[in-house]
Amino acid sequence: MAAPQKKERPTAVLNHLLSRSSTDMLAEPAPQGAVLEDILATAMRAPDHGRLRPWRYVLVRGAARPRLAELIVAGMKARDPDVPAAKIEKRRTRFSTMPLTIALGMHVRPDDKIPVIEQEMAVAAAAMNILNALHATGFGGVWVTGDMTYDPAVAAALGFTAPHRLAGFLFVGTPDPSRPLPPRRPVADYVAEWHGTPVTFGADG
């Protein structure tokens, strides 16, 4: 029997993954049409125990952006009447000017046999697939959370009432090619081989 052939390293794919970084330095255009559909379709390949498909996506673009921004600002003021004006304006600007915002919804089933944390991890894995797909198609993005993510009023206005909720927002667009890329930490700091006793990691030293 012939020995199995060794697969060649898929250099292009690995290079894409190794060169990805999050950025909010984004401009028009954002993906749309069939390209956006293909990007979002990568979510359907995420690990998903029980095949619950708990991910839900709300696209916010065009004239809807300032409406989302005002929703976010209203939530900020409701939670903290003394919130600084500068913080309000920064968040208003971000949400009203990003080329595309994707609200990450979690369609959670608390009574299912699949633990909620595993449903949440499936949503996170799907979001990471989308970020990688954005990068692979020449776009960019960043996953943001913050207090607005956990505000039931904001979630409800986007279509997610308890037990369903938000996992954050993806800001999406075309990245600034001149932006500095953050350094990549050594893999060895985050890997340890187990030999029967608890391991330690260089990153924790």
Side-chain angles (χ1 to χ4, degrees), residues 90-170:
K90 179 180 179 180
R91 197 164 286 179
R92 175 185 281 123
T93 299
R94 290 187 92 197
F95 275 90
S96 61
T97 60
M98 286 294 163
L100 168 65
T101 295
I102 304 176
L104 302 175
M106 296 193 291
H107 194 84
V108 180
R109 304 182 192 183
D111 298 328
D112 195 89
K113 66 179 181 180
I114 306 302
V116 169
I117 189 172
E118 295 188 19
Q119 299 178 43
E120 294 169 339
M121 287 190 290
V123 171
M128 192 65 243
N129 274 9
I130 291 173
L131 287 170
N132 281 327
L134 286 167
H135 179 58
T137 50
F139 297 99
V142 62
W143 184 349
V144 298
T145 55
D147 50 5
M148 68 275 190
T149 298
Y150 311 108
D151 186 329
V154 172
L158 288 166
F160 303 104
T161 54
H164 315 309
R165 55 189 186 274
L166 292 171
F169 302 86
L170 296 185

Side-chain angles (χ1 to χ4, degrees), residues 60-96:
V60 183
R61 49 193 167 182
R65 294 178 297 173
R67 297 177 64 181
L68 175 61
E70 293 309 317
L71 172 66
I72 297 296
V73 168
M76 294 173 68
K77 293 178 178 179
R79 291 188 299 274
D80 179 10
D82 298 320
V83 61
K87 184 176 180 179
I88 289 176
E89 193 54 36
K90 179 180 179 180
R91 197 164 286 179
R92 175 185 281 123
T93 299
R94 290 187 92 197
F95 275 90
S96 61

